[in-house]
Amino acid sequence: MADNMSEDLKSGALVYHRLPRPGKLEIQATKPLGNQRDLALAYSPGVAAACMAIHDDPQEAATLTIRQNLVAVLTNGTAVLGLGDIGPLASKPVMEGKAVLFKKFAGIDVFDIEVAETDVEKLVDVVCSLEPTFGGINLEDIKAPECFEVEERCRARMNIPVFHDDQHGTAIIVAAAVLNGLELAGKPLSDVRIVTSGAGAAAIACLNLLVSLGAKRENIVVTDIKGVVYKGRTELMDRWKEVYAQETEARTLADVIAGTDVFIGLSAGGVLKPEYLEKMAENPLIMALANPYPEIMPDLAQEKRPDAMICTGRSDFPNQVNNVLCFPYIFRGALDVGATSINEEMKKAAVKAIAALARETPSDVVARAYGGEARPFGPRSLIPSPFDPRLILRIAPAVAKAAMDSGVAGRPVANIQAYAESLDRFVHRSGFIMKPLFTKAKEEPKRVIYAEGEDERVLRAVQAIVEDGVAKPILVGRQRVIDTRIKRFGLSLRQGEDFELIDPEDDPRYRKYVQTYLDVAGRRGITPDAARTVVRTNTTVIGAIAVHRGEADALICGLEGRFETRLRAIRDIIGLNPGVTECAAMSLIVTKKGAYFLADTHVRHDPTAEEICEVAIACASHVTRFGLTPKIALLSHSDFGQSDSASARKMRHALALIERRAPDLQVDGEMQADSAMSELVRDRVLPGSRLKGAANVLVFPNLDAANIAFQFAKVLADALPVGPLLIGPSKPAHILTPSVTARGIVNITAAAVVEAQSRAPARVEEGGEAGVGMISE
């Protein structure tokens, strides 16, 4: 796997793991420790009360400690991703990564545990000894067949869930895809012929689960590196594989592929030859899950068999089988009801929940998240996206209910519907809020021009953008400088292939750009001599002209110099949307509690009520691109009429204007920040507010308040900032701040591309050049 990475990705990954502090995890206190009494409650002598309560009733551990929300991700490093047996210490970054996914997607705390033990008996003893600490154990990257033995013995001895994700996570998603694929093909599971390539942990688990759901063992043929698994074979056999041994003279995959309805590949790239596909049954389901090179490439399989439904483990093709679709939510449901195991009924409940979600009509939120395009159930949409926010809302309650119905729930919930509704708190706190924009951006990459093309951060960002296919970059900068820095930073960028270049010192379009600048700015005091100088020296002006001329779709600038200077260039050259009087800036901060959009953080110093109304409505339009329903709070020092100051009256007037112009928006104010964040607090002041839950769009009365809040949130809340996003230009143009990182540039690029996709295409005048004109959303 490491050999397939670019040098930039390798170095970037090392920096990511190393800085600003080593690793990806930390432990934080959840209770205050600010004075002597706090210390007495947290430790001696107060902690004794909690200890004795648990001693008297072990169930109290769920209410007095972290245990009910704590999972161990445990490995011995013998089968790590595509890296193989690299040992427990080298596996630690992977386990930390798995821990992050648990936390981000489902709010589950994790300790990663790497064990230097390959003896099955001893490893089982180690795992079982951890039961007092954890609410569940996620076994990870333990090689087959030992993984079967370890899980089986641990489940028998332990009274908490033990789940080997490499087996069951993959099996659950595969089973959901199989159910949906067979529904489309009109084939009952009990009748279909299934062939696997691979007989490791994941493959055997897939077959076991499919049999549990109704597949027939006699219809299943297993192949591995030694060929067909047949009765009497002794080489590379074990008792788990033996279950699927058939009485047959066939010895190779080619011998058994004829008439196959479902092919499950969990082996190696290229083993399913194109000519094999011709022998498969009608409407076959091909699950080529080897990574990074599948058993057959999906485009080749589709060419050979247009009637085939195809799944892979890759994110760049439809129907990605990704374990993150299920494992966080299975554990969420199991932990919340105190399950003593994750049994077959719970796994089947997860399968059916995932399959059913794929068949649902995409909600407005999900459709917006993926560019406003509904992705209906069909051959290219057999399973949900790993980033569908509804996954936790469907899987966790289904698993919890199955645990209760099957009698393994130690703490059943009284009302499963209320429990399902309570999970909404996790939906948009995953930290993956940018993912929908990246997904949409990659579908139709746009030309993004970077004014500071010589900057190291821009070059590193462009390397990532090119590798991910997010945009088509255009750099403004001197060719000799850019070439030197690409080499110095160890990047693999190539001019003409990975990016286009506008060299201010030597570009054949120079005279055209000067004339364009005179056309748009000549009546603003720009003389021909000044225009010639500016178009040689001002990279923001060059970038804005490129966008204005239709030679780029979006502009990103601002890594150096003053915000106001860049804003003037954008306003004068690119222009504003019809009806817009001035730009505004909306900044996104992603915190552990959720994502919040702040406006106006950089442009309007003391906006009027009419301007606040304009900004709030514009922000709502942009927020929907992130797959979120905008919930707008008009902030003030006053809480619903507590003060009659000028700023409070302004925000009240703005609310009245918004209600008339956009009556469907969830918006309220004027209100204080704590009222915006808590419906409970808000109801104490004004019961029945039209704003429900916590606000996610915070509109401030002036620039000072907005910018100070944004800067404090970045530092004190340890938040991920995205933006500012400039609202108002007739074509996408964004001004970053000098503190932006390469990661921040990548994020703003995705936002700019999606914004460009939503714009009407520029009209083309005679001569083939894109014409000038206001483009509205």
Side-chain angles (χ1 to χ4, degrees):
M1 178 181 292
D3 292 340
N4 297 321
M5 293 186 200
S6 69
E7 288 302 314
D8 178 69
L9 186 58
K10 288 181 184 178
S11 63
L14 294 175
V15 170
Y16 175 88
H17 283 80
R18 188 172 286 132
L19 299 173
R21 55 187 293 183
K24 299 187 285 281
L25 300 173
E26 66 177 358
I27 296 174
Q28 289 187 330
T30 59
K31 302 294 169 61
L33 290 169
N35 53 45
Q36 186 60 39
R37 178 166 174 78
D38 289 343
L39 189 59
L41 293 171
Y43 198 56
S44 181
V47 71
C51 292
M52 292 313 298
I54 296 170
H55 179 268
D56 295 337
D57 179 6
Q59 287 293 334
E60 286 292 342
T63 65
L64 295 172
T65 74
I66 193 179
R67 183 176 186 265
Q68 56 86 29
N69 195 54
L70 185 62
V71 166
V73 171
L74 187 148
T75 189
N76 64 0
T78 52
V80 180
L81 293 179
L83 304 174
D85 187 355
I86 61 174
L89 184 59
S91 76
K92 190 171 181 64
V94 178
M95 300 308 115
E96 285 188 1
K98 192 67 174 276
V100 168
L101 296 178
F102 267 108
K103 185 66 173 180
K104 293 293 185 181
F105 280 105
I108 295 171
D109 295 303
V110 167
F111 291 159
D112 64 289
I113 299 177
E114 294 76 32
V115 180
E117 185 57 72
T118 56
D119 181 84
V120 169
E121 291 286 351
K122 293 179 180 178
L123 184 56
V124 168
D125 287 341
V126 169
V127 176
C128 292
S129 68
L130 298 171
E131 183 168 350
T133 301
F134 296 99
I137 305 286
N138 184 98
L139 299 176
E140 192 78 16
D141 293 349
I142 300 171
K143 73 181 181 72
E146 289 88 339
C147 60
F148 299 117
E149 193 78 40
V150 171
E151 186 193 47
E152 186 177 278
R153 294 190 188 186
C154 289
R155 290 183 63 180
R157 288 173 54 180
M158 301 179 77
N159 206 36
I160 58 173
V162 180
F163 186 84
H164 187 213
D165 183 50
D166 298 316
Q167 295 180 55
H168 308 299
T170 301
I172 286 166
I173 303 157
V174 164
V178 168
L179 292 185
N180 280 344
L182 294 183
E183 178 176 310
L184 288 174
K187 301 175 182 178
L189 179 59
S190 58
D191 291 350
V192 297
R193 175 178 170 81
I194 301 171
V195 170
T196 76
S197 173
I204 297 299
C206 289
L207 297 178
N208 290 344
L209 187 53
L210 288 171
V211 169
S212 176
L213 288 163
K216 299 291 178 61
R217 278 193 175 87
E218 56 266 29
N219 294 338
I220 296 171
V221 178
V222 175
T223 69
D224 62 10
I225 195 170
K226 294 299 180 181
V228 172
V229 174
Y230 59 89
K231 286 191 180 296
R233 194 180 110 173
T234 57
E235 195 174 11
L236 289 183
M237 292 295 290
D238 55 59
R239 62 186 175 94
W240 296 278
K241 198 184 297 185
E242 184 67 41
V243 171
Y244 294 99
Q246 298 283 10
E247 289 280 5
T248 178
E249 297 299 318
R251 293 295 182 265
T252 68
L253 177 61
D255 295 337
V256 297
I257 198 68
T260 297
D261 298 286
V262 179
F263 170 83
I264 300 175
L266 287 155
S267 54
V271 300
L272 186 63
K273 306 300 181 186
E275 57 269 25
Y276 295 178
L277 272 60
E278 299 171 1
K279 304 176 184 178
M280 296 180 72
E282 288 186 12
N283 302 310
L285 175 59
I286 298 170
M287 310 198 75
L289 306 181
N291 240 335
Y293 304 113
E295 284 77 5
I296 188 168
M297 290 299 293
D299 46 358
L300 177 58
Q302 204 75 71
E303 179 185 338
K304 284 289 183 180
R305 287 296 299 263
D307 62 331
M309 295 166 281
I310 305 162
C311 300
T312 73
R314 293 171 51 140
S315 61
D316 52 345
F317 290 100
N319 294 322
Q320 182 194 14
V321 174
N322 187 330
N323 287 13
V324 81
L325 265 166
C326 68
F327 72 79
Y329 317 122
I330 290 172
F331 270 95
R332 180 76 277 158
L335 293 173
D336 287 342
V337 296
T340 57
S341 67
I342 295 174
N343 58 25
E344 205 67 17
E345 289 77 11
M346 295 160 73
K347 289 188 286 183
K348 288 193 286 187
V351 170
K352 293 173 182 177
I354 294 169
L357 178 56
R359 295 194 295 268
E360 286 187 34
T361 300
S363 70
D364 291 342
V365 171
V366 175
R368 284 196 301 267
Y370 290 92
E373 299 176 5
R375 295 187 173 188
F377 174 56
R380 293 171 61 85
S381 187
L382 297 176
I383 45 181
S385 160
F387 295 91
D388 191 320
R390 299 169 296 175
L391 284 164
I392 192 170
L393 306 179
R394 303 293 188 273
I395 300 173
V399 169
K401 185 176 185 302
M404 293 190 292
D405 292 345
S406 60
V408 298
R411 298 185 309 278
V413 297
N415 185 325
I416 196 70
Q417 184 59 38
Y419 167 66
E421 291 173 359
S422 75
L423 295 169
D424 191 61
R425 68 192 188 276
F426 295 113
V427 168
H428 293 296
R429 295 184 189 177
S430 69
F432 288 91
I433 191 168
M434 291 299 299
K435 182 62 181 180
L437 270 73
F438 280 95
T439 300
K440 178 59 180 171
K442 288 189 283 189
E443 291 179 357
E444 187 187 357
K446 295 293 185 179
R447 300 163 300 171
V448 178
I449 189 164
Y450 301 86
E452 289 85 11
E454 298 175 3
D455 190 284
E456 177 182 356
R457 292 165 294 175
V458 169
L459 293 172
R460 291 196 180 280
V462 167
Q463 180 76 54
I465 288 160
V466 168
E467 289 179 354
D468 289 344
V470 172
K472 299 174 182 177
I474 305 170
L475 301 181
V476 181
R478 295 162 294 178
Q479 181 173 359
R480 55 188 171 80
V481 174
I482 289 175
D483 289 346
T484 299
R485 292 182 178 178
I486 286 173
K487 186 175 181 180
R488 181 194 306 165
F489 303 144
L491 307 178
S492 59
L493 295 171
R494 294 156 298 178
Q495 181 187 340
E497 295 184 36
D498 299 320
F499 68 91
E500 300 301 324
L501 179 69
I502 295 180
D503 186 341
E505 293 183 342
D506 182 24
D507 194 286
R509 292 164 288 190
Y510 171 69
R511 293 182 183 277
K512 291 182 179 180
Y513 274 42
V514 170
Q515 186 58 53
T516 299
Y517 189 39
L518 284 170
D519 291 343
V520 298
R523 293 183 181 274
R524 297 188 180 92
I526 301 297
T527 66
D529 283 344
R532 283 190 285 270
T533 300
V534 169
V535 175
R536 284 285 190 209
T537 58
N538 190 319
T539 58
T540 299
V541 168
I542 295 170
I545 292 172
V547 173
H548 180 91
R549 288 170 56 83
E551 295 171 2
D553 302 303
L555 166 67
I556 293 176
C557 62
L559 278 75
E560 301 170 356
R562 297 180 60 190
F563 190 95
E564 292 80 3
T565 304
R566 273 111 183 105
L567 179 61
R568 188 180 307 117
I570 290 169
R571 194 166 43 210
D572 290 349
I573 300 170
I574 295 177
L576 303 179
N577 274 323
V580 174
T581 58
E582 175 59 287
C583 294
M586 177 181 73
S587 297
L588 166 63
I589 55 170
V590 183
T591 74
K592 293 177 180 178
K593 291 189 174 181
Y596 302 97
F597 298 83
L598 283 59
D600 174 358
T601 55
H602 287 79
V603 179
R604 305 192 192 206
H605 290 270
D606 188 14
T608 65
E610 288 76 10
E611 289 176 318
I612 287 171
C613 169
E614 180 183 295
V615 168
I617 293 173
C619 286
S621 175
H622 280 260
V623 167
T624 58
R625 292 196 183 106
F626 290 82
L628 298 172
T629 298
K631 298 181 179 183
I632 305 171
L634 305 180
L635 297 185
S636 171
H637 72 285
S638 172
D639 219 16
F640 300 110
Q642 290 179 353
S643 170
D644 205 36
S645 67
S647 68
R649 291 197 305 271
K650 177 172 71 173
M651 301 309 274
R652 279 178 233 151
H653 185 201
L655 174 66
L657 293 173
I658 296 169
E659 288 176 334
R660 287 202 296 270
R661 297 180 193 175
D664 294 333
L665 282 182
Q666 277 198 59
V667 58
D668 213 338
E670 88 284 12
M671 70 177 73
Q672 294 177 353
D674 57 349
S675 295
M677 294 294 99
S678 169
E679 187 171 359
L680 180 64
V681 172
R682 197 160 56 243
D683 283 347
R684 291 174 186 159
V685 183
L686 185 72
S689 168
R690 65 187 293 180
L691 180 63
K692 302 302 179 186
N696 56 17
V697 181
L698 308 177
V699 180
F700 292 81
N702 58 54
L703 180 61
D704 286 343
N707 192 268
I708 290 169
F710 176 53
Q711 302 299 341
F712 261 106
K714 285 196 298 183
V715 177
L716 298 183
D718 192 23
L720 168 67
V722 179
L725 298 162
L726 200 61
I727 298 172
S730 64
K731 296 183 181 180
H734 299 292
I735 307 170
L736 303 179
T737 58
S739 63
V740 73
T741 63
R743 180 186 181 191
I745 296 170
V746 173
N747 284 336
I748 207 75
T749 298
V753 169
V754 173
E755 184 181 354
Q757 290 171 348
S758 71
R759 305 286 183 124
R763 67 178 184 273
V764 178
E765 299 177 343
E766 286 189 37
E769 291 187 2
V772 176
M774 295 299 183
I775 298 178
S776 59
E777 293 186 56

